[in-house]
Amino acid sequence: MRRLCVFFAAVCLWGAASVACAYGKTAADLYPQEISLDEMQRQAIAFIDETMQKSGDTRRYTVEKASMPRILRAPEGEVRFVPSLPYGVRFWGNTAVYMDVLVDGAPFRTVKCQFKVHVFDHVAVAARPIMAGQPLTQSDFRFEEQEVGARAQNYLTKTDEIVGKVLSRSLSVGAPLWRTMLKTPNILKAGAPVTLVSRVNGVEVKIDGVALEAGHAGDIIRVKNTTSRKVLRGRIVDESTVEIV
C-alpha cells in the first residue's frame, strides 16, 4: 500500500498532472484553453525569417518543420508567444526556436520547436570533365543553385576565385568545385633552368642551376648547381629564381 502511495505521489509531481492529482481535477479542467500550435509554428518561422533578414544573408532558404509539441493547454486568458534563438539559425541539423508562452502577460511555460533550415546558393560546378592539374578557364565551370548547408564556406561562388587555379583531383560534369580542391599552379617545373641566389655575410652570389622539383612561390625544393653538380635546397622566389636556404 505504501509503495502505491509513493507511486501516485510521484505522478502528481510531474507537470500539470501534479495539480490535477492534488485537486482531483483533469488537465482539461485546470487548463481549459488549447493553444494553437499552428499559430506557434507560424510565429516561430516568422522569427527565423526576421533573424535571417537581420543577418544580411541574401541566399534563398526554406524552413521545414522538424518537431512541435503534440498538444499544449493553458489556463484561460490571452496567450502570447515570445520567441528566441539562443543557438542561432543552423544550416545543418535542427534549428531550435524556444517559445515562451505568456498567459495574460505572465510566464506559463517554454516550448522548444525545431525546424530544418535549408539554404541554397549559386555555386561553381564542372561544365565538362576536368583533369587534375589542368589550369581552369571560365569555360570549365558554370554556376548553379545547390543546397550548401554546413559546407557553405567550402563552395566557390565567384569566377575570380577559380580562373587560373588548378584542381588537386579530376572532376566529372556537374560535380561541385570545392575551395579545398584549388591550388595555385606551379610556377616552376622540374628540369627548368634557374638562377640560384646565395647570400653570405651580406654578399649576394648568383650561379646557374636546375630545378629538380616543381613548386609554387615560397616552396622549398631541391636544386642542382650546374657547375659543381651539388644538390642543394632552396626557396622558389619566382619562375626563374631560387634562393638557397
PDB file of all heavy atoms in Angstrom, residues 90-124:
ATOM      1  N   ARG A  90      20.722  27.428 -37.728  1.00  0.00           N
ATOM      2  CA  ARG A  90      21.716  26.431 -38.153  1.00  0.00           C
ATOM      3  C   ARG A  90      21.325  25.885 -39.515  1.00  0.00           C
ATOM      4  O   ARG A  90      20.150  25.639 -39.780  1.00  0.00           O
ATOM      5  CB  ARG A  90      21.793  25.290 -37.133  1.00  0.00           C
ATOM      6  CG  ARG A  90      22.138  25.746 -35.727  1.00  0.00           C
ATOM      7  CD  ARG A  90      22.167  24.582 -34.764  1.00  0.00           C
ATOM      8  NE  ARG A  90      23.227  23.645 -35.093  1.00  0.00           N
ATOM      9  CZ  ARG A  90      23.386  22.466 -34.479  1.00  0.00           C
ATOM     10  NH1 ARG A  90      22.553  22.090 -33.533  1.00  0.00           N
ATOM     11  NH2 ARG A  90      24.382  21.663 -34.830  1.00  0.00           N
ATOM     12  N   PHE A  91      22.323  25.686 -40.373  1.00  0.00           N
ATOM     13  CA  PHE A  91      22.076  25.140 -41.699  1.00  0.00           C
ATOM     14  C   PHE A  91      22.422  23.656 -41.764  1.00  0.00           C
ATOM     15  O   PHE A  91      22.528  23.078 -42.837  1.00  0.00           O
ATOM     16  CB  PHE A  91      22.878  25.914 -42.747  1.00  0.00           C
ATOM     17  CG  PHE A  91      22.565  27.388 -42.750  1.00  0.00           C
ATOM     18  CD1 PHE A  91      23.577  28.324 -42.810  1.00  0.00           C
ATOM     19  CD2 PHE A  91      21.262  27.829 -42.660  1.00  0.00           C
ATOM     20  CE1 PHE A  91      23.293  29.683 -42.804  1.00  0.00           C
ATOM     21  CE2 PHE A  91      20.962  29.178 -42.655  1.00  0.00           C
ATOM     22  CZ  PHE A  91      21.983  30.106 -42.722  1.00  0.00           C
ATOM     23  N   TRP A  92      22.638  23.054 -40.626  1.00  0.00           N
ATOM     24  CA  TRP A  92      22.839  21.612 -40.529  1.00  0.00           C
ATOM     25  C   TRP A  92      22.130  21.180 -39.255  1.00  0.00           C
ATOM     26  O   TRP A  92      21.996  21.943 -38.301  1.00  0.00           O
ATOM     27  CB  TRP A  92      24.322  21.264 -40.474  1.00  0.00           C
ATOM     28  CG  TRP A  92      25.026  21.829 -39.276  1.00  0.00           C
ATOM     29  CD1 TRP A  92      25.283  21.199 -38.094  1.00  0.00           C
ATOM     30  CD2 TRP A  92      25.531  23.166 -39.122  1.00  0.00           C
ATOM     31  NE1 TRP A  92      25.921  22.038 -37.218  1.00  0.00           N
ATOM     32  CE2 TRP A  92      26.082  23.248 -37.825  1.00  0.00           C
ATOM     33  CE3 TRP A  92      25.549  24.286 -39.959  1.00  0.00           C
ATOM     34  CZ2 TRP A  92      26.657  24.428 -37.351  1.00  0.00           C
ATOM     35  CZ3 TRP A  92      26.126  25.449 -39.469  1.00  0.00           C
ATOM     36  CH2 TRP A  92      26.680  25.511 -38.194  1.00  0.00           C
ATOM     37  N   GLY A  93      21.615  19.971 -39.224  1.00  0.00           N
ATOM     38  CA  GLY A  93      20.854  19.549 -38.057  1.00  0.00           C
ATOM     39  C   GLY A  93      19.592  20.379 -37.920  1.00  0.00           C
ATOM     40  O   GLY A  93      19.020  20.850 -38.899  1.00  0.00           O
ATOM     41  N   ASN A  94      19.157  20.563 -36.677  1.00  0.00           N
ATOM     42  CA  ASN A  94      17.920  21.304 -36.418  1.00  0.00           C
ATOM     43  C   ASN A  94      18.201  22.677 -35.835  1.00  0.00           C
ATOM     44  O   ASN A  94      19.162  22.867 -35.093  1.00  0.00           O
ATOM     45  CB  ASN A  94      17.022  20.529 -35.446  1.00  0.00           C
ATOM     46  CG  ASN A  94      16.425  19.279 -36.075  1.00  0.00           C
ATOM     47  OD1 ASN A  94      16.327  19.178 -37.300  1.00  0.00           O
ATOM     48  ND2 ASN A  94      16.027  18.323 -35.259  1.00  0.00           N
ATOM     49  N   THR A  95      17.346  23.630 -36.187  1.00  0.00           N
ATOM     50  CA  THR A  95      17.360  24.958 -35.570  1.00  0.00           C
ATOM     51  C   THR A  95      16.283  24.972 -34.496  1.00  0.00           C
ATOM     52  O   THR A  95      15.108  24.708 -34.779  1.00  0.00           O
ATOM     53  CB  THR A  95      17.071  26.050 -36.614  1.00  0.00           C
ATOM     54  OG1 THR A  95      18.180  26.144 -37.517  1.00  0.00           O
ATOM     55  CG2 THR A  95      16.872  27.410 -35.943  1.00  0.00           C
ATOM     56  N   ALA A  96      16.666  25.248 -33.256  1.00  0.00           N
ATOM     57  CA  ALA A  96      15.731  25.232 -32.134  1.00  0.00           C
ATOM     58  C   ALA A  96      15.229  26.645 -31.850  1.00  0.00           C
ATOM     59  O   ALA A  96      16.021  27.546 -31.587  1.00  0.00           O
ATOM     60  CB  ALA A  96      16.398  24.655 -30.891  1.00  0.00           C
ATOM     61  N   VAL A  97      13.909  26.819 -31.920  1.00  0.00           N
ATOM     62  CA  VAL A  97      13.272  28.081 -31.540  1.00  0.00           C
ATOM     63  C   VAL A  97      12.558  27.837 -30.216  1.00  0.00           C
ATOM     64  O   VAL A  97      11.691  26.963 -30.128  1.00  0.00           O
ATOM     65  CB  VAL A  97      12.265  28.564 -32.602  1.00  0.00           C
ATOM     66  CG1 VAL A  97      11.662  29.900 -32.184  1.00  0.00           C
ATOM     67  CG2 VAL A  97      12.922  28.677 -33.972  1.00  0.00           C
ATOM     68  N   TYR A  98      12.927  28.601 -29.202  1.00  0.00           N
ATOM     69  CA  TYR A  98      12.285  28.477 -27.901  1.00  0.00           C
ATOM     70  C   TYR A  98      11.167  29.508 -27.806  1.00  0.00           C
ATOM     71  O   TYR A  98      11.403  30.708 -27.970  1.00  0.00           O
ATOM     72  CB  TYR A  98      13.299  28.653 -26.770  1.00  0.00           C
ATOM     73  CG  TYR A  98      14.237  27.476 -26.644  1.00  0.00           C
ATOM     74  CD1 TYR A  98      15.361  27.377 -27.467  1.00  0.00           C
ATOM     75  CD2 TYR A  98      13.981  26.459 -25.742  1.00  0.00           C
ATOM     76  CE1 TYR A  98      16.213  26.265 -27.375  1.00  0.00           C
ATOM     77  CE2 TYR A  98      14.838  25.359 -25.639  1.00  0.00           C
ATOM     78  CZ  TYR A  98      15.944  25.280 -26.457  1.00  0.00           C
ATOM     79  OH  TYR A  98      16.773  24.189 -26.362  1.00  0.00           O
ATOM     80  N   MET A  99       9.945  29.028 -27.541  1.00  0.00           N
ATOM     81  CA  MET A  99       8.771  29.898 -27.469  1.00  0.00           C
ATOM     82  C   MET A  99       8.337  30.023 -26.012  1.00  0.00           C
ATOM     83  O   MET A  99       7.868  29.054 -25.404  1.00  0.00           O
ATOM     84  CB  MET A  99       7.632  29.326 -28.320  1.00  0.00           C
ATOM     85  CG  MET A  99       7.988  29.068 -29.778  1.00  0.00           C
ATOM     86  SD  MET A  99       8.328  30.577 -30.702  1.00  0.00           S
ATOM     87  CE  MET A  99       6.671  31.226 -30.931  1.00  0.00           C
ATOM     88  N   ASP A 100       8.519  31.219 -25.442  1.00  0.00           N
ATOM     89  CA  ASP A 100       7.983  31.489 -24.108  1.00  0.00           C
ATOM     90  C   ASP A 100       6.494  31.770 -24.262  1.00  0.00           C
ATOM     91  O   ASP A 100       6.086  32.674 -25.001  1.00  0.00           O
ATOM     92  CB  ASP A 100       8.670  32.702 -23.478  1.00  0.00           C
ATOM     93  CG  ASP A 100      10.129  32.427 -23.140  1.00  0.00           C
ATOM     94  OD1 ASP A 100      10.466  31.255 -22.923  1.00  0.00           O
ATOM     95  OD2 ASP A 100      10.922  33.377 -23.115  1.00  0.00           O
ATOM     96  N   VAL A 101       5.679  30.975 -23.585  1.00  0.00           N
ATOM     97  CA  VAL A 101       4.226  31.137 -23.649  1.00  0.00           C
ATOM     98  C   VAL A 101       3.782  31.984 -22.465  1.00  0.00           C
ATOM     99  O   VAL A 101       4.011  31.617 -21.312  1.00  0.00           O
ATOM    100  CB  VAL A 101       3.528  29.764 -23.625  1.00  0.00           C
ATOM    101  CG1 VAL A 101       2.013  29.940 -23.741  1.00  0.00           C
ATOM    102  CG2 VAL A 101       4.047  28.877 -24.750  1.00  0.00           C
ATOM    103  N   LEU A 102       3.173  33.122 -22.758  1.00  0.00           N
ATOM    104  CA  LEU A 102       2.652  34.015 -21.717  1.00  0.00           C
ATOM    105  C   LEU A 102       1.132  33.965 -21.738  1.00  0.00           C
ATOM    106  O   LEU A 102       0.520  33.951 -22.809  1.00  0.00           O
ATOM    107  CB  LEU A 102       3.118  35.453 -21.956  1.00  0.00           C
ATOM    108  CG  LEU A 102       4.629  35.686 -22.170  1.00  0.00           C
ATOM    109  CD1 LEU A 102       4.907  37.173 -22.339  1.00  0.00           C
ATOM    110  CD2 LEU A 102       5.433  35.119 -21.021  1.00  0.00           C
ATOM    111  N   VAL A 103       0.533  33.923 -20.562  1.00  0.00           N
ATOM    112  CA  VAL A 103      -0.924  33.977 -20.436  1.00  0.00           C
ATOM    113  C   VAL A 103      -1.265  35.220 -19.613  1.00  0.00           C
ATOM    114  O   VAL A 103      -0.842  35.342 -18.457  1.00  0.00           O
ATOM    115  CB  VAL A 103      -1.485  32.710 -19.763  1.00  0.00           C
ATOM    116  CG1 VAL A 103      -3.010  32.810 -19.628  1.00  0.00           C
ATOM    117  CG2 VAL A 103      -1.110  31.465 -20.562  1.00  0.00           C
ATOM    118  N   ASP A 104      -1.992  36.140 -20.246  1.00  0.00           N
ATOM    119  CA  ASP A 104      -2.303  37.439 -19.617  1.00  0.00           C
ATOM    120  C   ASP A 104      -1.021  38.121 -19.128  1.00  0.00           C
ATOM    121  O   ASP A 104      -0.985  38.735 -18.054  1.00  0.00           O
ATOM    122  CB  ASP A 104      -3.298  37.272 -18.456  1.00  0.00           C
ATOM    123  CG  ASP A 104      -4.702  36.955 -18.942  1.00  0.00           C
ATOM    124  OD1 ASP A 104      -5.018  37.298 -20.102  1.00  0.00           O
ATOM    125  OD2 ASP A 104      -5.479  36.369 -18.175  1.00  0.00           O
ATOM    126  N   GLY A 105       0.044  37.981 -19.927  1.00  0.00           N
ATOM    127  CA  GLY A 105       1.312  38.647 -19.620  1.00  0.00           C
ATOM    128  C   GLY A 105       2.202  37.912 -18.653  1.00  0.00           C
ATOM    129  O   GLY A 105       3.349  38.316 -18.436  1.00  0.00           O
ATOM    130  N   ALA A 106       1.730  36.831 -18.059  1.00  0.00           N
ATOM    131  CA  ALA A 106       2.521  36.090 -17.073  1.00  0.00           C
ATOM    132  C   ALA A 106       3.128  34.855 -17.724  1.00  0.00           C
ATOM    133  O   ALA A 106       2.466  34.173 -18.514  1.00  0.00           O
ATOM    134  CB  ALA A 106       1.650  35.679 -15.892  1.00  0.00           C
ATOM    135  N   PRO A 107       4.395  34.530 -17.424  1.00  0.00           N
ATOM    136  CA  PRO A 107       5.013  33.334 -17.991  1.00  0.00           C
ATOM    137  C   PRO A 107       4.253  32.072 -17.587  1.00  0.00           C
ATOM    138  O   PRO A 107       3.915  31.894 -16.413  1.00  0.00           O
ATOM    139  CB  PRO A 107       6.419  33.340 -17.394  1.00  0.00           C
ATOM    140  CG  PRO A 107       6.655  34.760 -16.961  1.00  0.00           C
ATOM    141  CD  PRO A 107       5.320  35.285 -16.551  1.00  0.00           C
ATOM    142  N   PHE A 108       3.982  31.228 -18.543  1.00  0.00           N
ATOM    143  CA  PHE A 108       3.301  29.962 -18.275  1.00  0.00           C
ATOM    144  C   PHE A 108       4.264  28.791 -18.458  1.00  0.00           C
ATOM    145  O   PHE A 108       4.454  27.987 -17.564  1.00  0.00           O
ATOM    146  CB  PHE A 108       2.079  29.816 -19.179  1.00  0.00           C
ATOM    147  CG  PHE A 108       1.440  28.467 -19.111  1.00  0.00           C
ATOM    148  CD1 PHE A 108       0.938  27.960 -17.916  1.00  0.00           C
ATOM    149  CD2 PHE A 108       1.354  27.658 -20.241  1.00  0.00           C
ATOM    150  CE1 PHE A 108       0.361  26.699 -17.848  1.00  0.00           C
ATOM    151  CE2 PHE A 108       0.782  26.394 -20.182  1.00  0.00           C
ATOM    152  CZ  PHE A 108       0.283  25.914 -18.985  1.00  0.00           C
ATOM    153  N   ARG A 109       4.894  28.712 -19.637  1.00  0.00           N
ATOM    154  CA  ARG A 109       5.884  27.676 -19.874  1.00  0.00           C
ATOM    155  C   ARG A 109       6.685  28.019 -21.131  1.00  0.00           C
ATOM    156  O   ARG A 109       6.313  28.916 -21.885  1.00  0.00           O
ATOM    157  CB  ARG A 109       5.248  26.289 -20.006  1.00  0.00           C
ATOM    158  CG  ARG A 109       4.338  26.125 -21.196  1.00  0.00           C
ATOM    159  CD  ARG A 109       3.810  24.718 -21.312  1.00  0.00           C
ATOM    160  NE  ARG A 109       4.864  23.736 -21.487  1.00  0.00           N
ATOM    161  CZ  ARG A 109       4.657  22.427 -21.633  1.00  0.00           C
ATOM    162  NH1 ARG A 109       3.419  21.959 -21.620  1.00  0.00           N
ATOM    163  NH2 ARG A 109       5.663  21.604 -21.811  1.00  0.00           N
ATOM    164  N   THR A 110       7.797  27.303 -21.320  1.00  0.00           N
ATOM    165  CA  THR A 110       8.639  27.478 -22.516  1.00  0.00           C
ATOM    166  C   THR A 110       8.595  26.201 -23.330  1.00  0.00           C
ATOM    167  O   THR A 110       8.753  25.110 -22.778  1.00  0.00           O
ATOM    168  CB  THR A 110      10.086  27.810 -22.138  1.00  0.00           C
ATOM    169  OG1 THR A 110      10.111  29.043 -21.396  1.00  0.00           O
ATOM    170  CG2 THR A 110      10.951  27.969 -23.375  1.00  0.00           C
ATOM    171  N   VAL A 111       8.389  26.366 -24.617  1.00  0.00           N
ATOM    172  CA  VAL A 111       8.252  25.222 -25.519  1.00  0.00           C
ATOM    173  C   VAL A 111       9.366  25.272 -26.558  1.00  0.00           C
ATOM    174  O   VAL A 111       9.653  26.330 -27.121  1.00  0.00           O
ATOM    175  CB  VAL A 111       6.876  25.230 -26.222  1.00  0.00           C
ATOM    176  CG1 VAL A 111       6.761  24.059 -27.183  1.00  0.00           C
ATOM    177  CG2 VAL A 111       5.756  25.195 -25.194  1.00  0.00           C
ATOM    178  N   LYS A 112       9.964  24.113 -26.817  1.00  0.00           N
ATOM    179  CA  LYS A 112      11.022  24.020 -27.819  1.00  0.00           C
ATOM    180  C   LYS A 112      10.424  23.512 -29.128  1.00  0.00           C
ATOM    181  O   LYS A 112       9.852  22.429 -29.178  1.00  0.00           O
ATOM    182  CB  LYS A 112      12.124  23.081 -27.329  1.00  0.00           C
ATOM    183  CG  LYS A 112      13.293  22.901 -28.297  1.00  0.00           C
ATOM    184  CD  LYS A 112      14.295  21.914 -27.708  1.00  0.00           C
ATOM    185  CE  LYS A 112      15.479  21.677 -28.634  1.00  0.00           C
ATOM    186  NZ  LYS A 112      16.427  20.689 -28.062  1.00  0.00           N
ATOM    187  N   CYS A 113      10.588  24.302 -30.182  1.00  0.00           N
ATOM    188  CA  CYS A 113      10.139  23.908 -31.520  1.00  0.00           C
ATOM    189  C   CYS A 113      11.378  23.774 -32.405  1.00  0.00           C
ATOM    190  O   CYS A 113      12.274  24.623 -32.351  1.00  0.00           O
ATOM    191  CB  CYS A 113       9.197  24.963 -32.116  1.00  0.00           C
ATOM    192  SG  CYS A 113       7.812  25.393 -31.043  1.00  0.00           S
ATOM    193  N   GLN A 114      11.424  22.746 -33.218  1.00  0.00           N
ATOM    194  CA  GLN A 114      12.623  22.508 -34.034  1.00  0.00           C
ATOM    195  C   GLN A 114      12.277  22.510 -35.524  1.00  0.00           C
ATOM    196  O   GLN A 114      11.249  21.984 -35.940  1.00  0.00           O
ATOM    197  CB  GLN A 114      13.272  21.186 -33.650  1.00  0.00           C
ATOM    198  CG  GLN A 114      13.743  21.160 -32.199  1.00  0.00           C
ATOM    199  CD  GLN A 114      14.761  20.082 -31.962  1.00  0.00           C
ATOM    200  OE1 GLN A 114      15.938  20.213 -32.293  1.00  0.00           O
ATOM    201  NE2 GLN A 114      14.328  18.988 -31.369  1.00  0.00           N
ATOM    202  N   PHE A 115      13.194  23.122 -36.299  1.00  0.00           N
ATOM    203  CA  PHE A 115      12.995  23.257 -37.738  1.00  0.00           C
ATOM    204  C   PHE A 115      14.300  22.927 -38.464  1.00  0.00           C
ATOM    205  O   PHE A 115      15.382  23.070 -37.918  1.00  0.00           O
ATOM    206  CB  PHE A 115      12.579  24.690 -38.084  1.00  0.00           C
ATOM    207  CG  PHE A 115      11.319  25.127 -37.392  1.00  0.00           C
ATOM    208  CD1 PHE A 115      11.360  25.722 -36.134  1.00  0.00           C
ATOM    209  CD2 PHE A 115      10.085  24.940 -37.983  1.00  0.00           C
ATOM    210  CE1 PHE A 115      10.200  26.116 -35.484  1.00  0.00           C
ATOM    211  CE2 PHE A 115       8.919  25.328 -37.346  1.00  0.00           C
ATOM    212  CZ  PHE A 115       8.983  25.919 -36.092  1.00  0.00           C
ATOM    213  N   LYS A 116      14.152  22.501 -39.715  1.00  0.00           N
ATOM    214  CA  LYS A 116      15.309  22.317 -40.592  1.00  0.00           C
ATOM    215  C   LYS A 116      15.340  23.499 -41.566  1.00  0.00           C
ATOM    216  O   LYS A 116      14.366  23.738 -42.271  1.00  0.00           O
ATOM    217  CB  LYS A 116      15.206  20.998 -41.354  1.00  0.00           C
ATOM    218  CG  LYS A 116      15.374  19.768 -40.469  1.00  0.00           C
ATOM    219  CD  LYS A 116      15.449  18.511 -41.303  1.00  0.00           C
ATOM    220  CE  LYS A 116      15.609  17.281 -40.405  1.00  0.00           C
ATOM    221  NZ  LYS A 116      16.885  17.298 -39.659  1.00  0.00           N
ATOM    222  N   VAL A 117      16.439  24.225 -41.551  1.00  0.00           N
ATOM    223  CA  VAL A 117      16.608  25.372 -42.443  1.00  0.00           C
ATOM    224  C   VAL A 117      17.541  24.947 -43.574  1.00  0.00           C
ATOM    225  O   VAL A 117      18.705  24.605 -43.341  1.00  0.00           O
ATOM    226  CB  VAL A 117      17.173  26.593 -41.695  1.00  0.00           C
ATOM    227  CG1 VAL A 117      17.324  27.776 -42.649  1.00  0.00           C
ATOM    228  CG2 VAL A 117      16.257  26.971 -40.529  1.00  0.00           C
ATOM    229  N   HIS A 118      17.010  24.938 -44.797  1.00  0.00           N
ATOM    230  CA  HIS A 118      17.795  24.560 -45.972  1.00  0.00           C
ATOM    231  C   HIS A 118      18.210  25.834 -46.709  1.00  0.00           C
ATOM    232  O   HIS A 118      17.350  26.627 -47.107  1.00  0.00           O
ATOM    233  CB  HIS A 118      16.965  23.676 -46.911  1.00  0.00           C
ATOM    234  CG  HIS A 118      16.397  22.458 -46.250  1.00  0.00           C
ATOM    235  ND1 HIS A 118      17.119  21.296 -46.072  1.00  0.00           N
ATOM    236  CD2 HIS A 118      15.174  22.217 -45.703  1.00  0.00           C
ATOM    237  CE1 HIS A 118      16.377  20.389 -45.466  1.00  0.00           C
ATOM    238  NE2 HIS A 118      15.190  20.922 -45.229  1.00  0.00           N
ATOM    239  N   VAL A 119      19.503  26.050 -46.861  1.00  0.00           N
ATOM    240  CA  VAL A 119      19.990  27.262 -47.516  1.00  0.00           C
ATOM    241  C   VAL A 119      20.633  26.892 -48.849  1.00  0.00           C
ATOM    242  O   VAL A 119      21.293  25.858 -48.975  1.00  0.00           O
ATOM    243  CB  VAL A 119      20.986  28.035 -46.612  1.00  0.00           C
ATOM    244  CG1 VAL A 119      22.247  27.237 -46.366  1.00  0.00           C
ATOM    245  CG2 VAL A 119      21.303  29.395 -47.194  1.00  0.00           C
ATOM    246  N   PHE A 120      20.399  27.732 -49.860  1.00  0.00           N
ATOM    247  CA  PHE A 120      20.857  27.462 -51.218  1.00  0.00           C
ATOM    248  C   PHE A 120      21.729  28.611 -51.711  1.00  0.00           C
ATOM    249  O   PHE A 120      21.561  29.753 -51.307  1.00  0.00           O
ATOM    250  CB  PHE A 120      19.665  27.285 -52.160  1.00  0.00           C
ATOM    251  CG  PHE A 120      18.710  26.199 -51.744  1.00  0.00           C
ATOM    252  CD1 PHE A 120      17.715  26.448 -50.805  1.00  0.00           C
ATOM    253  CD2 PHE A 120      18.821  24.926 -52.270  1.00  0.00           C
ATOM    254  CE1 PHE A 120      16.837  25.447 -50.406  1.00  0.00           C
ATOM    255  CE2 PHE A 120      17.950  23.914 -51.886  1.00  0.00           C
ATOM    256  CZ  PHE A 120      16.956  24.177 -50.952  1.00  0.00           C
ATOM    257  N   ASP A 121      22.649  28.279 -52.618  1.00  0.00           N
ATOM    258  CA  ASP A 121      23.496  29.312 -53.218  1.00  0.00           C
ATOM    259  C   ASP A 121      23.863  28.865 -54.629  1.00  0.00           C
ATOM    260  O   ASP A 121      23.758  27.692 -54.978  1.00  0.00           O
ATOM    261  CB  ASP A 121      24.761  29.522 -52.381  1.00  0.00           C
ATOM    262  CG  ASP A 121      25.343  30.919 -52.571  1.00  0.00           C
ATOM    263  OD1 ASP A 121      24.893  31.636 -53.485  1.00  0.00           O
ATOM    264  OD2 ASP A 121      26.253  31.297 -51.799  1.00  0.00           O
ATOM    265  N   HIS A 122      24.286  29.840 -55.441  1.00  0.00           N
ATOM    266  CA  HIS A 122      24.758  29.532 -56.794  1.00  0.00           C
ATOM    267  C   HIS A 122      26.255  29.234 -56.702  1.00  0.00           C
ATOM    268  O   HIS A 122      27.057  30.138 -56.458  1.00  0.00           O
ATOM    269  CB  HIS A 122      24.474  30.699 -57.740  1.00  0.00           C
ATOM    270  CG  HIS A 122      23.013  30.829 -58.064  1.00  0.00           C
ATOM    271  ND1 HIS A 122      22.131  31.523 -57.256  1.00  0.00           N
ATOM    272  CD2 HIS A 122      22.280  30.328 -59.093  1.00  0.00           C
ATOM    273  CE1 HIS A 122      20.919  31.454 -57.777  1.00  0.00           C
ATOM    274  NE2 HIS A 122      20.976  30.740 -58.890  1.00  0.00           N
ATOM    275  N   VAL A 123      26.567  27.966 -56.878  1.00  0.00           N
ATOM    276  CA  VAL A 123      27.939  27.512 -56.667  1.00  0.00           C
ATOM    277  C   VAL A 123      28.530  26.988 -57.975  1.00  0.00           C
ATOM    278  O   VAL A 123      27.811  26.597 -58.901  1.00  0.00           O
ATOM    279  CB  VAL A 123      28.003  26.423 -55.578  1.00  0.00           C
ATOM    280  CG1 VAL A 123      27.418  26.934 -54.271  1.00  0.00           C
ATOM    281  CG2 VAL A 123      27.252  25.163 -56.022  1.00  0.00           C
ATOM    282  N   ALA A 124      29.861  26.983 -58.030  1.00  0.00           N
ATOM    283  CA  ALA A 124      30.559  26.533 -59.230  1.00  0.00           C
ATOM    284  C   ALA A 124      30.546  25.009 -59.318  1.00  0.00           C
ATOM    285  O   ALA A 124      30.847  24.313 -58.342  1.00  0.00           O
ATOM    286  CB  ALA A 124      31.997  27.040 -59.222  1.00  0.00           C
TER     287      ALA A 124
END
